[in-house]
């Protein structure tokens, strides 16, 4: 092997090891940042290794692509807020999957049947998954960004139609293995896969998007791995498999967090309009800063439940200040973390880590739920769906079965939100009408700032 080939192979091996170490780092908030840096360095090595490859005949188009990609990617990295991360991720999956599909299309266009019996199946798989992930991710992006309605788009016979379309697409793919020279089969499969991607995601409600995005992430990874087989690039095979595997595990974890099965997510039309919400009886009771400050200052235990509203208000730092103030007064302070609170996996963990809340104070659902009956005050900061008791009490609710943080069992609940706005699922929350629940209206950051002062003076 000549020195250039040794350098390329070595950079691929080191990059692969760094990807694995990076993923390992991401399993814990304390090591996540280091994990990201390792994976970034691995990606840089993989790119450098590829750029010195002998197969590159000219650098002009590569430089143009690099500039164009940076022109889109850098502003996105700087300006897209954390709260818009799911749609940004969906867009990245669409780009990645489209790149994989394009490589497959160009390889087939250039070599056709000459690709041989190993590469044709990998190429068909790559193009099929790449195409459906591209359009599926674009629909997911549009739903999350509000360009398309978040509610499921449903029509009669939908599942049968979609499954038939998938069956025809797969049939084209199978036939292509026997007749690789018939280009019409390839292009028909490509077209149907693009259409199937749209139809797959349209009936899925916005509330199920976290699972769908994780699943599309997995598909994009598998498509890249297949690309690696087609063009004989080892690092692409390894990175694609890591992406595919971890994305699939993430979708299962998200499903468990919402107590749903993957088939139910894909074919159940969760979030359909017209589902039942418990009739909200009584009135919401508005409370005020002074009353809540006294309740908190003289509590034995307070549990903070952050949600999407804390993220939009960027209230994590002042929440930590309130926690510190209460601890100084001898109140036991805990943070309750729901796995789908906010708009991306680990959203609350990231924000609270940014505010230096000790990791030991963060409690997962199973740990904190038994503690609510002995909690004096549960403070809900811009959370809604994840504390909706309908998920537990109303079998007809569209979120029935989703595990919730059972704040309604605390002696007193205080909900910080701006007004009567609904949560991501669009449901009315009966918690707000309970007699032990007080509504503290206003922007979460402003309210918490006033609360810190009031607790200090109490
Ligand atoms: P949520 O159900 O979306 O509720 C957020 C609440 O925050 C709203 O009711 C809103 O009420 C309030 N709010 C908004 N801005 C605020 C501000 N500046 N100050 C105070 N309150 C504010 O949030 P959640 O309980 O965290 O539940 C997350 C939902 O998102 C779940 O349905 C989950 O399935 C879904 N989801 C999760 C992910 C994920 O990966 N974590 C991804 C996509 C979707 P007002 O308008 O009245 O203020």
């Amino acid at each position: 092997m000549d020195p250039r080939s040794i350098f390329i192979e070595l950079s691929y091996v080191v990059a692969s090891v760094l990807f694995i170490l990076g993923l390992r780092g991401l399993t814990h908030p304390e090591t996540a940042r280091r994990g990201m840096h390792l994976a970034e360095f691995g990606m840089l090595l993989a790119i450098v290794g590829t750029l010195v490859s002998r197969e590159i005949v000219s650098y002009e188009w590569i430089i143009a692509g690099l500039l164009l990609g940076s022109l889109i990617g850098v502003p996105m990295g700087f300006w897209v807020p954390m709260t818009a991360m799911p749609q940004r991720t969906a867009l990245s999956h669409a780009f990645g999957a489209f790149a994989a599909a394009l490589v497959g299309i160009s390889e087939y266009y250039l070599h056709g049947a000459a690709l041989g019996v190993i590469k044709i199946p990998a190429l068909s798989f790559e193009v099929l998954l790449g195409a459906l992930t591209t359009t599926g991710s674009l629909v997911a992006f549009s739903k999350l960004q509000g360009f398309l309605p978040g509610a499921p788009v449903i029509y009669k016979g939908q599942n049968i139609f979609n499954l038939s379309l998938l069956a025809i697409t797969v049939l084209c793919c199978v036939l292509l293995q026997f007749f690789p020279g018939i280009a019409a089969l390839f292009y028909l499969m490509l077209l149907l896969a693009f259409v199937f991607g749209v139809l797959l995601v349209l009936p899925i409600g916005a509330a199920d998007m976290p699972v769908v995005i994780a699943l599309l992430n997995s598909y994009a990874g598998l498509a890249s791995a297949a690309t690696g087989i087609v063009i004989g690039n080892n690092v692409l095979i390894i990175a694609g498999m890591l992406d595919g595997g971890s994305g699939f595990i993430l979708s299962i974890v998200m499903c468990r967090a919402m107590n749903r099965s993957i088939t139910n997510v894909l074919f159940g039309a969760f979030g359909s309009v017209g589902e039942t919400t418990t009739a909200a009886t009584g009135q919401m009771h508005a409370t005020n800063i002074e009353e809540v400050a006294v309740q908190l200052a003289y509590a034995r235990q307070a549990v903070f439940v952050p949600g999407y509203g804390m993220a939009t208000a960027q209230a994590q730092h002042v929440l930590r200040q309130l926690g510190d103030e209460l601890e100084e007064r001898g109140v036991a302070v805990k943070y309750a973390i729901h796995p789908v609170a906010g708009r991306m996996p680990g959203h609350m963990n990231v924000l609270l880590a940014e505010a230096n809340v000790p990791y030991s104070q963060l409690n997962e659902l199973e740990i904190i739920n038994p503690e609510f009956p002995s909690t004096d005050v549960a403070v809900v900061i811009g959370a809604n769906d994840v504390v909706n008791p309908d998920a537990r009490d109303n079998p007809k609710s569209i979120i029935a079965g989703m595990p919730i943080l059972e704040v309604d069992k605390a002696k007193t609940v205080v909900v910080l939100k701006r007004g009567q706005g609904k949560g991501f699922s669009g449901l009315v929350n009966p918690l707000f009408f309970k007699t032990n629940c007080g509504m503290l209206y206003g922007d979460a950051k402003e309210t918490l700032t006033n609360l810190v002062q009031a607790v200090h003076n109490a």
Side-chain angles (χ1 to χ4, degrees), residues 86 144 206-207 210 254 258 307-309 312-313 339-345 382-386 416-425 442-444:
L144 289 166
M254 299 293 279
M258 297 161 88
Y308 174 66
T312 47
V340 297
R343 291 292 183 269
M344 63 172 191
N384 193 335
D385 291 346
V386 300
L416 275 61
K417 68 202 293 285
R418 294 163 308 175
Q420 315 292 320
K422 291 180 179 155
F424 190 75
S425 65
D443 172 76

Side-chain angles (χ1 to χ4, degrees), residues 123-179:
L123 180 133
S124 324
F125 182 73
E126 167 199 345
V127 170
L128 198 158
L129 269 192
L132 79 84
T133 306
T134 305
T135 47
S137 300
L138 286 176
V139 174
F141 163 78
S142 309
K143 283 194 169 217
L144 289 166
Q145 189 60 34
F147 294 157
L148 282 177
V153 177
I154 304 167
Y155 49 88
K156 218 169 157 238
Q158 187 168 37
N159 282 343
I160 293 179
F161 182 77
N162 285 1
L163 287 174
S164 312
L165 188 74
L166 179 64
I168 300 171
T169 318
V170 173
L171 184 69
C172 289
C173 179
V174 173
L175 287 175
L176 197 65
Q177 312 313 308
F178 297 103
F179 310 103

Side-chain angles (χ1 to χ4, degrees), residues 93 100 125 138 180 200 212 223 426 457:
H93 294 161
F125 182 73
L138 286 176
L200 177 75
V212 175
N457 298 336

Side-chain angles (χ1 to χ4, degrees), residues 66-144:
L66 202 74
L67 286 177
L68 186 68
S70 309
L71 230 92
I72 301 172
V74 172
M76 255 165 73
F78 277 115
W79 291 320
V80 173
M82 283 276 279
T83 44
M85 216 33 86
Q87 49 268 53
R88 202 210 71 87
T89 312
L91 207 56
S92 298
H93 294 161
F95 288 151
F98 192 48
L102 281 181
V103 173
I105 296 167
S106 71
E107 284 292 303
Y108 186 78
Y109 178 76
L110 289 175
H111 308 293
L115 282 164
V117 285
I118 305 239
K119 287 189 176 173
I120 284 281
L123 180 133
S124 324
F125 182 73
E126 167 199 345
V127 170
L128 198 158
L129 269 192
L132 79 84
T133 306
T134 305
T135 47
S137 300
L138 286 176
V139 174
F141 163 78
S142 309
K143 283 194 169 217
L144 289 166

Side-chain angles (χ1 to χ4, degrees), residues 410-429:
K411 289 174 192 139
T412 306
V413 189
V414 178
V415 178
L416 275 61
K417 68 202 293 285
R418 294 163 308 175
Q420 315 292 320
K422 291 180 179 155
F424 190 75
S425 65
L427 293 174
V428 172
N429 191 337

Side-chain angles (χ1 to χ4, degrees), residues 307-352:
Y308 174 66
M310 180 190 81
T312 47
Q314 285 293 295
Q316 62 274 20
H317 297 279
V318 61
L319 181 64
R320 156 102 209 251
Q321 279 174 29
L322 179 64
D324 290 349
E325 190 70 42
L326 289 174
E327 279 186 322
E328 270 173 31
R329 300 183 68 109
V331 182
V333 174
K334 295 186 175 175
Y335 295 76
I337 307 298
H338 192 287
V340 297
R343 291 292 183 269
M344 63 172 191
H347 201 167
M348 297 301 115
N349 299 63
V350 173
L351 293 178
L352 293 173

